[in-house]
Amino acid sequence: MNYRLLATSGLAVTLALSAAACSSSGSSSSSSPATSAPASSPAASSPASGAAAVDFGPACSAVPTTGAGSFTGMSTAPVATAASANPVLSTLVTAVTKAGLADTLNSAPAITVFAPDNAAFAKIPSATLAKVLADKAELTKILTYHVAMGRYTPAQLAAGAPIKTLEGATIAPARMGGTYEVNSADVVCGNVQTANATVYIINTVLMPPSS
Protein backbone atom coordinates (compact mmCIF):
# COMPACT_ATOMS: atom_id res chain seq x y z
CA MET A 1 0.00 0.00 0.00
CA ASN A 2 1.29 3.49 -0.85
CA TYR A 3 1.02 5.72 2.17
CA ARG A 4 2.68 8.83 0.81
CA LEU A 5 0.83 12.03 1.44
CA LEU A 6 -0.38 14.13 -1.44
CA ALA A 7 -1.19 17.76 -1.68
CA THR A 8 -4.93 18.17 -1.95
CA SER A 9 -7.34 21.03 -2.12
CA GLY A 10 -9.95 21.44 0.59
CA LEU A 11 -12.80 18.97 0.35
CA ALA A 12 -16.28 20.34 1.01
CA VAL A 13 -17.50 17.24 2.78
CA THR A 14 -20.69 18.65 4.23
CA LEU A 15 -21.78 20.01 0.84
CA ALA A 16 -20.98 16.67 -0.79
CA LEU A 17 -23.05 14.82 1.75
CA SER A 18 -25.92 17.28 1.52
CA ALA A 19 -25.98 17.10 -2.26
CA ALA A 20 -25.77 13.34 -2.26
CA ALA A 21 -28.46 13.09 0.40
CA CYS A 22 -30.85 15.09 -1.76
CA SER A 23 -30.32 12.77 -4.72
CA SER A 24 -29.91 9.39 -3.01
CA SER A 25 -32.03 7.14 -0.86
CA GLY A 26 -30.93 4.34 1.50
CA SER A 27 -30.86 0.70 0.49
CA SER A 28 -32.51 -2.41 1.81
CA SER A 29 -30.39 -4.13 4.46
CA SER A 30 -31.77 -7.58 3.77
CA SER A 31 -29.45 -10.32 2.53
CA SER A 32 -30.55 -9.87 -1.10
CA PRO A 33 -30.65 -6.70 -3.20
CA ALA A 34 -33.94 -5.06 -4.18
CA THR A 35 -34.93 -6.03 -7.69
CA SER A 36 -35.88 -2.43 -8.48
CA ALA A 37 -32.35 -1.11 -7.96
CA PRO A 38 -29.01 -2.07 -9.50
CA ALA A 39 -26.18 -3.20 -7.26
CA SER A 40 -24.58 0.24 -7.42
CA SER A 41 -27.79 2.07 -6.40
CA PRO A 42 -29.18 0.84 -3.07
CA ALA A 43 -32.94 0.98 -2.63
CA ALA A 44 -34.56 2.67 0.36
CA SER A 45 -35.12 0.96 3.70
CA SER A 46 -35.90 1.91 7.27
CA PRO A 47 -33.41 1.61 10.15
CA ALA A 48 -35.69 -1.00 11.69
CA SER A 49 -35.28 -3.35 8.73
CA GLY A 50 -31.49 -2.82 8.83
CA ALA A 51 -31.34 -3.74 12.51
CA ALA A 52 -32.82 -7.15 11.66
CA ALA A 53 -29.97 -8.02 9.29
CA VAL A 54 -27.42 -10.66 10.28
CA ASP A 55 -23.82 -9.65 10.87
CA PHE A 56 -21.01 -11.96 9.75
CA GLY A 57 -17.23 -12.37 9.84
CA PRO A 58 -14.45 -13.64 12.12
CA ALA A 59 -13.92 -10.32 13.90
CA CYS A 60 -17.54 -10.02 14.97
CA SER A 61 -16.59 -12.02 18.06
CA ALA A 62 -14.52 -9.03 19.25
CA VAL A 63 -17.59 -6.80 19.35
CA PRO A 64 -19.03 -6.42 22.88
CA THR A 65 -22.07 -8.58 23.57
CA THR A 66 -23.84 -5.97 25.66
CA GLY A 67 -23.94 -2.20 26.04
CA ALA A 68 -23.64 0.67 23.57
CA GLY A 69 -20.84 -1.05 21.64
CA SER A 70 -22.79 -4.26 21.04
CA PHE A 71 -24.65 -4.96 17.82
CA THR A 72 -27.94 -4.15 19.54
CA GLY A 73 -26.56 -0.97 21.08
CA MET A 74 -25.03 0.25 17.82
CA SER A 75 -28.27 -0.34 15.92
CA THR A 76 -29.98 2.48 17.83
CA ALA A 77 -27.24 5.13 17.46
CA PRO A 78 -26.01 7.13 14.44
CA VAL A 79 -22.85 5.74 12.94
CA ALA A 80 -20.10 7.93 14.43
CA THR A 81 -21.66 7.64 17.89
CA ALA A 82 -22.06 3.88 17.47
CA ALA A 83 -18.42 3.49 16.39
CA SER A 84 -17.22 5.45 19.41
CA ALA A 85 -18.69 2.75 21.65
CA ASN A 86 -16.97 -0.08 19.77
CA PRO A 87 -13.43 -0.76 21.07
CA VAL A 88 -12.24 -2.28 17.77
CA LEU A 89 -12.82 1.06 16.01
CA SER A 90 -11.12 3.44 18.45
CA THR A 91 -8.40 4.59 16.02
CA LEU A 92 -11.01 5.26 13.33
CA VAL A 93 -13.03 7.29 15.81
CA THR A 94 -9.92 9.35 16.60
CA ALA A 95 -9.40 10.01 12.89
CA VAL A 96 -13.05 10.96 12.34
CA THR A 97 -12.89 13.35 15.29
CA LYS A 98 -9.68 15.00 14.05
CA ALA A 99 -11.25 15.45 10.61
CA GLY A 100 -14.37 17.00 12.14
CA LEU A 101 -16.62 14.48 10.39
CA ALA A 102 -18.56 13.01 13.32
CA ASP A 103 -21.56 15.34 13.09
CA THR A 104 -21.59 15.08 9.28
CA LEU A 105 -21.66 11.28 9.37
CA ASN A 106 -24.21 11.18 12.17
CA SER A 107 -26.59 13.44 10.28
CA ALA A 108 -26.39 11.60 6.94
CA PRO A 109 -29.74 9.93 6.16
CA ALA A 110 -28.46 6.56 4.91
CA ILE A 111 -24.86 5.58 4.21
CA THR A 112 -22.49 2.63 4.03
CA VAL A 113 -19.22 2.88 5.93
CA PHE A 114 -16.23 0.63 5.27
CA ALA A 115 -14.63 1.00 8.69
CA PRO A 116 -10.96 0.08 9.18
CA ASP A 117 -10.37 -1.58 12.52
CA ASN A 118 -7.50 -0.81 14.86
CA ALA A 119 -5.36 -3.53 13.27
CA ALA A 120 -5.81 -1.88 9.87
CA PHE A 121 -4.40 1.42 11.15
CA ALA A 122 -1.59 -0.49 12.88
CA LYS A 123 -0.32 -1.56 9.43
CA ILE A 124 0.51 2.07 8.65
CA PRO A 125 3.97 3.21 9.83
CA SER A 126 3.48 5.31 12.96
CA ALA A 127 5.23 8.37 11.52
CA THR A 128 3.07 8.27 8.39
CA LEU A 129 -0.11 7.84 10.42
CA ALA A 130 0.81 10.78 12.63
CA LYS A 131 1.31 13.00 9.57
CA VAL A 132 -2.02 11.96 8.07
CA LEU A 133 -3.85 12.58 11.35
CA ALA A 134 -2.33 16.06 11.46
CA ASP A 135 -3.36 16.91 7.88
CA LYS A 136 -7.10 17.54 7.99
CA ALA A 137 -7.54 17.84 4.22
CA GLU A 138 -5.70 14.60 3.49
CA LEU A 139 -7.40 12.83 6.39
CA THR A 140 -10.81 13.94 5.12
CA LYS A 141 -9.97 12.69 1.64
CA ILE A 142 -9.02 9.27 2.97
CA LEU A 143 -11.97 8.93 5.34
CA THR A 144 -14.58 9.97 2.78
CA TYR A 145 -13.14 7.30 0.46
CA HIS A 146 -14.55 4.83 2.99
CA VAL A 147 -18.14 6.14 2.81
CA ALA A 148 -20.86 5.72 0.19
CA MET A 149 -24.40 7.04 0.06
CA GLY A 150 -27.10 4.39 0.58
CA ARG A 151 -27.07 1.14 2.53
CA TYR A 152 -25.32 -1.64 0.57
CA THR A 153 -26.19 -5.25 1.29
CA PRO A 154 -23.76 -8.18 1.24
CA ALA A 155 -25.43 -9.43 -1.95
CA GLN A 156 -24.75 -6.09 -3.61
CA LEU A 157 -21.10 -6.24 -2.59
CA ALA A 158 -20.86 -9.77 -3.97
CA ALA A 159 -22.28 -8.57 -7.29
CA GLY A 160 -19.07 -6.62 -7.76
CA ALA A 161 -20.41 -3.37 -9.21
CA PRO A 162 -18.12 -0.39 -8.45
CA ILE A 163 -19.33 1.83 -5.62
CA LYS A 164 -18.84 5.59 -5.78
CA THR A 165 -17.57 7.07 -2.54
CA LEU A 166 -18.05 10.50 -1.04
CA GLU A 167 -14.42 11.23 -1.92
CA GLY A 168 -15.43 10.91 -5.57
CA ALA A 169 -13.50 7.82 -6.65
CA THR A 170 -14.93 4.31 -6.69
CA ILE A 171 -14.13 1.21 -4.69
CA ALA A 172 -14.36 -2.36 -5.97
CA PRO A 173 -16.32 -4.83 -3.83
CA ALA A 174 -16.18 -8.58 -4.41
CA ARG A 175 -16.80 -11.94 -2.82
CA MET A 176 -14.01 -14.50 -3.00
CA GLY A 177 -15.27 -17.80 -1.66
CA GLY A 178 -16.64 -17.01 1.76
CA THR A 179 -14.76 -13.70 2.10
CA TYR A 180 -16.08 -10.30 1.12
CA GLU A 181 -13.47 -7.83 -0.09
CA VAL A 182 -13.25 -4.12 -0.82
CA ASN A 183 -10.22 -3.27 -2.95
CA SER A 184 -7.39 -5.01 -1.08
CA ALA A 185 -9.21 -5.20 2.25
CA ASP A 186 -11.10 -8.15 3.71
CA VAL A 187 -14.41 -7.56 5.45
CA VAL A 188 -13.79 -9.02 8.90
CA CYS A 189 -17.19 -8.14 10.35
CA GLY A 190 -19.94 -7.17 7.96
CA ASN A 191 -23.51 -6.00 7.73
CA VAL A 192 -23.35 -4.20 11.08
CA GLN A 193 -26.33 -1.89 11.39
CA THR A 194 -26.49 1.52 13.03
CA ALA A 195 -29.42 3.94 13.06
CA ASN A 196 -28.32 5.55 9.78
CA ALA A 197 -25.65 3.29 8.29
CA THR A 198 -24.60 -0.19 7.29
CA VAL A 199 -21.03 -0.83 8.41
CA TYR A 200 -18.46 -3.27 7.06
CA ILE A 201 -15.42 -3.49 9.33
CA ILE A 202 -12.31 -4.05 7.19
CA ASN A 203 -8.71 -5.03 7.93
CA THR A 204 -6.90 -2.47 5.74
CA VAL A 205 -7.16 1.30 5.35
CA LEU A 206 -8.29 2.10 1.80
CA MET A 207 -6.33 4.75 -0.06
CA PRO A 208 -7.87 6.91 -2.80
CA PRO A 209 -6.35 6.19 -6.24
CA SER A 210 -4.30 9.39 -6.25
CA SER A 211 -2.86 8.81 -2.76
Side-chain angles (χ1 to χ4, degrees), residues 83-97 116-118 121:
S84 69
N86 190 324
V88 304
L89 298 176
S90 59
T91 307
L92 175 62
V93 171
T94 297
V96 168
T97 301
D117 61 11
N118 292 342
F121 282 98

Side-chain angles (χ1 to χ4, degrees), residues 74 77-84 102 105-108 111 113 194-199:
M74 287 190 290
V79 64
T81 300
S84 69
L105 295 176
N106 277 345
S107 63
I111 55 178
V113 177
T194 76
N196 70 323
T198 297
V199 178

Side-chain angles (χ1 to χ4, degrees), residues 5-210:
L5 298 176
L6 60 114
T8 180
S9 58
L11 183 63
V13 177
T14 302
L15 292 178
L17 273 169
S18 299
C22 291
S23 60
S24 300
S25 60
S27 73
S28 168
S29 294
S30 64
S31 60
S32 61
T35 56
S36 60
S40 59
S41 302
S45 74
S46 65
S49 66
V54 178
D55 51 83
F56 63 87
C60 288
S61 60
V63 174
T65 57
T66 60
S70 66
F71 292 121
T72 300
M74 287 190 290
S75 71
T76 63
V79 64
T81 300
S84 69
N86 190 324
V88 304
L89 298 176
S90 59
T91 307
L92 175 62
V93 171
T94 297
V96 168
T97 301
K98 286 183 176 292
L101 292 176
D103 289 342
T104 301
L105 295 176
N106 277 345
S107 63
I111 55 178
T112 296
V113 177
F114 299 94
D117 61 11
N118 292 342
F121 282 98
K123 294 178 182 180
I124 302 174
S126 57
T128 300
L129 180 59
K131 289 179 181 178
V132 171
L133 291 175
D135 185 338
K136 186 174 181 179
E138 177 67 5
L139 182 60
T140 297
K141 181 179 178 69
I142 292 171
L143 292 176
T144 53
Y145 187 59
H146 292 73
V147 183
M149 293 305 302
R151 292 180 183 254
Y152 284 83
T153 68
Q156 288 171 314
L157 299 190
I163 297 174
K164 186 175 182 179
T165 69
L166 294 185
E167 185 270 337
T170 60
I171 54 177
R175 182 176 180 180
M176 303 297 290
T179 302
Y180 289 84
E181 299 178 352
V182 184
N183 291 0
S184 60
D186 291 342
V187 174
V188 294
C189 184
N191 215 25
V192 179
Q193 302 299 320
T194 76
N196 70 323
T198 297
V199 178
Y200 294 90
I201 300 175
I202 56 179
N203 66 357
T204 302
V205 177
L206 307 178
M207 300 299 287
S210 56

